[in-house]
Amino acid sequence: MDNAALDILTQAGLRVGLCSSGIAKRPNIDRFLGLKNAILSTVHRSGNCDLYIGWGHKKSGHNAIKFAKETGAQFLLLEDAFVRSYAPQSVHGEQPYGLILDDQGIYYDAHKPSRLEALIANNTGDQTADHRGALIINDLCGAQICKYNNFQPMSKTVQESIQNGGVLVVDQTYQDQSIIGAKADDQSFTQMIEAAIDENPSKRIFVKLHPEVMAGKKRGYLKKLAVKYNCILLTENFNPWDFFSHIQKVYTVSSQLGFDALMAGCQVRCFGQPFYSGWGLTQDHTVNPLRQTATRTSQPTINQIAYAAYDQYARYLDPYDRSPTDVTRVISDLSHIRNIYDKNREIESFYQVTAWKRQRIKKMFKPYGSTKG
């Protein structure tokens, strides 16, 4: 597999054009990339750069591809890793522990090949990849780690409602790039919830809203439909791993939660084309011709896909000292960090704290709202 853009990262004196000021301001971007004495500059047009870097399918990502084509240089697209941090940056101001580096496309765009797609195809039949992926899945399942991990305890009401099992339908934020890239649209969500109801006439239908929809920050697709069809709305931000053991089947368009469910042993039905569909592990509403061709004679295991997604496709920095590390260490650190926050959950106020310490303490306890000091 040709990884030209990745291969040149360690070249001394590499001229790197960062296609947005946001990327340029990200702490430790040079450490994530493994750059050695590189010359970094923010660029808004093509020039004398060896490599252009942008963010996914945002404007900077499109510019990185465009500038590279204009000059014959290489490009890299960045995204948050599938294990990102304790909480979203919008909640806790937390920088990612992991970044994805793609020099072909981006994993959530099924219209074009991506480096992740190539890694998965290459891992097919590789026993080493299978073994390493199994270890990663074991760590994720054991620690119950997701992309974000700032969950609240599951309420007694939800605990009681899931005792008899059912199927889970996953909502997403309106017109997210992962939906567009998965060759899906508004109608896909309508088809999905109706299929879940029709295919499971004797089971409870749970509809999980997206955390940002629950917080009122973004729109979703399924809230009104769930009410219309008398589904059970899940509006709490609890850890989905607590839910999977009670669920027989998960319906999703392109949410990463679908892959979490696969790793937990659930059946998964996809109404879009996320990175984990089309390989023979999911029930797919639409066909991905590229992946169908790649798996004509054999198909990757879930372990081989996990190894590609969580290890080969991403780079990680230690949450504490920001030194290069691996996904196994990040999973362990995230579990520890979450446990600390959970133990501190009941703290509501601090007394006699000097003024210069207050802002730092408030930041430390921000996941649980405003702390009195």
Side-chain angles (χ1 to χ4, degrees):
M1 183 172 60
D2 183 14
N3 290 323
L6 297 177
D7 292 340
I8 67 171
L9 286 175
T10 55
Q11 290 183 11
L14 190 70
R15 298 167 298 177
V16 179
L18 305 176
C19 296
S20 81
S21 56
I23 296 176
K25 291 176 183 177
R26 280 180 173 262
N28 307 300
I29 189 66
D30 55 336
R31 292 190 181 187
F32 271 119
L33 298 173
L35 298 173
K36 306 293 183 182
N37 301 316
I39 303 168
L40 278 70
S41 60
T42 304
V43 298
H44 300 289
R45 59 180 60 87
S46 57
N48 297 319
C49 292
D50 304 302
L51 175 68
Y52 293 95
I53 296 177
W55 193 267
H57 270 341
K58 290 189 175 182
K59 182 180 179 181
S60 63
H62 294 303
N63 282 342
I65 296 172
K66 176 186 174 184
F67 298 162
K69 287 182 177 178
E70 289 175 350
T71 62
Q74 302 294 331
F75 74 86
L76 270 181
L77 301 182
L78 308 180
E79 276 287 352
D80 291 329
F82 298 120
V83 173
R84 185 201 185 273
S85 57
Y86 171 72
Q89 187 168 356
S90 60
V91 173
H92 199 199
E94 211 171 6
Q95 292 297 320
Y97 305 162
L99 284 182
I100 283 164
L101 280 64
D102 200 316
D103 55 355
Q104 298 180 37
I106 201 68
Y107 72 90
Y108 52 75
D109 186 359
H111 297 86
K112 301 176 182 178
S114 71
R115 180 169 168 260
L116 178 55
E117 205 166 53
L119 288 167
I120 293 171
N122 284 353
N123 283 350
T124 302
D126 187 330
Q127 294 306 307
T128 299
D130 193 81
H131 173 70
R132 291 178 177 175
L135 294 176
I136 291 171
I137 291 177
N138 184 66
D139 288 341
L140 289 167
C141 292
Q144 296 192 329
I145 292 295
C146 298
K147 183 174 184 177
Y148 302 114
N149 300 275
N150 58 322
F151 303 112
Q152 301 293 323
M154 185 183 291
S155 69
K156 186 176 180 180
T157 301
V158 174
Q159 291 179 37
E160 291 174 349
S161 70
I162 64 175
Q163 289 307 308
N164 295 323
V167 300
L168 179 65
V169 183
V170 184
D171 197 11
Q172 292 175 246
T173 57
Y174 187 70
Q175 291 190 337
D176 185 81
Q177 285 292 337
S178 69
I179 297 168
I180 299 168
K183 301 183 181 181
D185 54 23
D186 299 28
Q187 189 62 26
S188 303
F189 286 85
T190 302
Q191 292 172 342
M192 174 174 66
I193 194 169
E194 291 178 349
I197 294 167
D198 293 342
E199 294 168 8
N200 304 276
S202 62
K203 291 184 170 60
R204 289 183 167 190
I205 308 298
F206 296 91
V207 175
K208 188 181 188 306
L209 299 185
H210 191 278
E212 291 188 279
V213 174
M214 290 185 268
K217 295 181 179 180
K218 292 186 178 181
R219 292 171 57 192
Y221 291 90
L222 296 179
K223 187 174 182 179
K224 289 183 179 180
L225 287 171
V227 173
K228 174 183 176 181
Y229 292 120
N230 296 316
C231 301
I232 301 172
L233 270 175
L234 301 175
T235 59
E236 300 174 7
N237 186 29
F238 56 80
N239 193 331
W241 288 96
D242 293 332
F243 205 80
F244 291 147
S245 60
H246 301 278
I247 291 297
Q248 289 78 40
K249 196 169 186 178
V250 174
Y251 288 73
T252 183
V253 170
S254 60
S255 171
Q256 185 185 325
L257 192 146
F259 192 63
D260 294 337
L262 272 179
M263 292 189 290
C266 299
Q267 296 179 46
V268 176
R269 182 134 152 69
C270 296
F271 280 73
Q273 296 179 14
F275 74 89
Y276 52 85
S277 72
W279 303 105
L281 301 176
T282 53
Q283 298 174 13
D284 301 323
H285 185 69
T286 60
V287 175
N288 184 308
L290 291 175
R291 296 172 197 170
Q292 190 178 42
T293 300
T295 59
R296 188 167 292 162
T297 56
S298 62
Q299 64 186 43
T301 65
I302 189 170
N303 298 338
Q304 290 160 349
I305 294 176
Y307 179 57
Y310 287 90
D311 187 293
Q312 296 171 296
Y313 194 45
R315 295 187 179 185
Y316 300 91
L317 296 182
D318 186 278
Y320 301 105
D321 65 12
R322 311 306 283 171
S323 62
T325 188
D326 58 28
V327 66
T328 299
R329 177 61 184 271
V330 167
I331 292 170
S332 176
D333 286 343
L334 263 174
S335 179
H336 177 67
I337 290 168
R338 186 178 61 196
N339 288 339
I340 291 173
Y341 279 126
D342 287 347
K343 289 178 181 178
N344 293 336
R345 190 181 298 277
E346 301 303 321
I347 296 176
E348 294 183 356
S349 60
F350 295 92
Y351 294 94
Q352 297 182 340
V353 177
T354 55
W356 70 273
K357 295 179 181 177
R358 289 177 186 173
Q359 289 304 313
R360 181 61 62 87
I361 289 177
K362 285 183 178 180
K363 184 176 181 180
M364 289 171 63
F365 289 86
K366 190 174 180 180
Y368 306 112
S370 58
T371 304
K372 299 176 183 179

